[in-house]
């Protein structure tokens, strides 16, 4: 009998189909769990970004402290230069020597060397300090700009990553809600083919989800059949049953839930859940 048969005398077949579809719906819960794990991974990535942000802020604070120290040193050097350039700075006379006449002290010192002190090394150092401060100001501005960009990009980071998944879940919710509303109408709950119509709508919802996973996420649904050889790369053996015959050892007795595989890379995303025949040790 097919899924859409109107045979009302075979309720057992209908109950089996309902049980199989209920197992398939349970798989949606498993997919939701995997989505929660992905969200946890995204939260960890956000945590790492926040740590990087804190490192940048610490670096900015250190740069600001270094610049402040250089500014203080520059002010001290300027104050020392201003003190050296004052006209009333006393000049220490040379030691008295009676045997030699003392030369008269000059009334004014050269403009380039006030009080007989060479300021060229200090001026060179001041130039280096000013250049260093200019470089640090540029770096500080660049770090602040990068910090602002990081904050702007991380503001909606989780929302941007979760939005495609949320749209898919919303579409599934809308489809299941429409199916429930259609099956809950009084006219849909009466008649001999009421269960068949309900099963038909549920199968349509299931195919819609499979098509969405195929088109948008590159996931292909596979459902192993009873009698297929058990493959641990594709199947998850939930339980084992004694094999009726030796030839059935290592084969699938029943498929409890289908699996999903990436079409492009042939990587199993979710293994199919099966029951496997094992050797009877009696």
């Amino acid at each position: 009998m097919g899924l859409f048969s109107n045979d009302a005398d075979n309720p057992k077949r209908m109950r089996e189909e309902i049980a199989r579809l209920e197992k398939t719906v349970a798989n949606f819960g498993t997919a939701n769990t995997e989505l929660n794990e992905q969200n946890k991974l995204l939260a960890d990535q956000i945590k790492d970004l926040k740590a990087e942000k804190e490192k940048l802020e610490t670096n900015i604070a250190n740069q600001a402290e270094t610049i402040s120290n250089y500014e203080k040193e520059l002010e001290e050097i300027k104050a020392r230069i201003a003190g050296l350039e004052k006209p009333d700075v006393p000049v220490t006379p040379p030691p008295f020597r009676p045997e030699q006449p003392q030369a008269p002290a000059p009334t004014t010192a050269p403009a380039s060397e006030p009080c007989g002190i060479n300021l060229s090394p200090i001026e060179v150092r001041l130039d280096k300090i000013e250049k260093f401060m200019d470089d640090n100001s540029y770096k500080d501005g660049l770090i602040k700009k990068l910090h602002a960009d990081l904050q702007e990009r991380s503001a909606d980071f989780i929302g941007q990553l979760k939005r495609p998944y949320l749209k898919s879940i919303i579409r599934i919710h809308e489809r299941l809600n429409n199916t429930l509303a259609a099956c809950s109408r009084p006219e849909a709950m009466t008649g001999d083919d009421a269960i068949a119509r309900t099963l038909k709508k549920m199968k349509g919802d299931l195919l819609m989800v499979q098509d969405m996973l195929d088109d948008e996420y590159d996931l292909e649904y596979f459902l192993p059949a009873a009698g297929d050889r058990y493959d641990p790369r594709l199947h998850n053996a939930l339980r084992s049953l004694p094999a009726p015959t030796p030839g059935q050892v290592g084969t699938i007795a029943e498929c409890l839930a289908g699996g999903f595989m990436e079409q492009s890379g042939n990587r199993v995303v979710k293994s199919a859940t099966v029951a496997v025949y094992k050797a009877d040790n009696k």
Side-chain angles (χ1 to χ4, degrees), residues 278-282:
K278 67 174 183 178
D280 192 356
N281 296 325
K282 291 184 180 181

Side-chain angles (χ1 to χ4, degrees), residues 75-90:
E75 292 297 328
E76 292 176 357
I77 294 174
K78 288 181 177 180
R80 291 169 57 188
I81 293 174
L84 293 174
E85 291 178 345
K86 289 182 179 180
D88 57 348
V89 175

Side-chain angles (χ1 to χ4, degrees), residues 150-203:
L150 178 62
Q151 284 185 324
E152 182 179 356
R153 290 176 181 273
S154 62
D156 196 30
F157 184 71
I158 295 180
Q160 291 178 0
L161 292 176
K162 292 174 62 176
R163 194 166 291 114
Y165 301 100
L166 293 176
K167 288 183 179 179
S168 299
I169 294 175
I170 289 172
R171 294 215 312 270
I172 295 174
H173 179 272
E174 291 177 347
R175 183 65 179 262
L176 293 177
N177 189 51
N178 293 336
T179 299
L180 178 62
C183 296
S184 300
R185 292 197 300 266
E187 59 271 17
M189 301 177 65
T190 58
D192 297 335
D193 60 342
I195 296 179
R197 291 197 302 269
T198 301
L199 291 176
K200 182 177 180 180
K201 291 183 178 297
M202 292 179 66
K203 185 175 182 180

Side-chain angles (χ1 to χ4, degrees), residues 38-275:
Q38 294 179 358
N39 291 339
K40 183 179 179 182
L41 179 61
L42 293 176
D44 293 338
Q45 294 177 356
I46 291 295
K47 184 178 179 181
D48 294 338
L49 286 175
K50 289 182 178 179
E52 291 295 332
K53 171 187 169 185
E54 293 176 356
K55 290 181 181 179
L56 285 175
E57 291 176 345
T58 303
N59 191 13
I60 291 172
N62 294 335
Q63 292 287 344
E65 184 178 359
T66 302
I67 292 173
S68 177
N69 293 334
Y70 278 110
E71 288 177 347
K72 291 179 181 178
E73 185 178 355
L74 179 61
E75 292 297 328
E76 292 176 357
I77 294 174
K78 288 181 177 180
R80 291 169 57 188
I81 293 174
L84 293 174
E85 291 178 345
K86 289 182 179 180
D88 57 348
V89 175
V91 180
T92 303
F96 176 73
R97 296 178 180 178
E99 66 276 8
Q100 295 179 0
Q102 184 176 0
T107 56
T108 58
S112 60
E113 295 182 0
C115 302
I117 299 177
N118 186 10
L119 300 178
S120 298
I122 297 178
E123 292 176 354
V124 172
R125 188 176 182 187
L126 284 175
D127 292 339
K128 291 182 179 180
I129 292 175
E130 290 177 353
K131 184 178 183 302
F132 180 80
M133 291 180 62
D134 292 340
D135 293 341
N136 278 275
S137 298
Y138 171 75
K139 292 178 181 179
D140 182 61
L142 182 61
I143 291 174
K144 289 181 179 179
K145 182 178 182 301
L146 292 175
H147 177 65
D149 292 342
L150 178 62
Q151 284 185 324
E152 182 179 356
R153 290 176 181 273
S154 62
D156 196 30
F157 184 71
I158 295 180
Q160 291 178 0
L161 292 176
K162 292 174 62 176
R163 194 166 291 114
Y165 301 100
L166 293 176
K167 288 183 179 179
S168 299
I169 294 175
I170 289 172
R171 294 215 312 270
I172 295 174
H173 179 272
E174 291 177 347
R175 183 65 179 262
L176 293 177
N177 189 51
N178 293 336
T179 299
L180 178 62
C183 296
S184 300
R185 292 197 300 266
E187 59 271 17
M189 301 177 65
T190 58
D192 297 335
D193 60 342
I195 296 179
R197 291 197 302 269
T198 301
L199 291 176
K200 182 177 180 180
K201 291 183 178 297
M202 292 179 66
K203 185 175 182 180
D205 295 342
L206 180 62
L207 293 176
M208 185 273 295
V209 175
Q210 292 179 9
D211 291 340
M212 180 185 65
L213 293 174
D214 186 1
D215 297 338
E216 299 182 13
Y217 300 99
D218 192 36
L219 295 180
E220 181 180 5
Y221 179 75
F222 66 94
L223 188 69
D228 291 348
R229 181 62 56 180
Y230 171 73
D231 187 348
R233 297 171 299 178
L234 302 175
H235 310 137
N236 177 26
L238 186 63
R239 65 172 182 264
S240 59
L241 302 173
T245 62
Q248 291 178 295
V249 175
T251 61
I252 295 176
E254 180 185 4
C255 179
L256 305 177
F260 288 93
M261 176 186 298
E262 288 183 351
Q263 298 186 59
S264 58
N266 291 329
R267 185 175 69 91
V268 177
V269 177
K270 180 186 177 299
S271 302
T273 306
V274 297

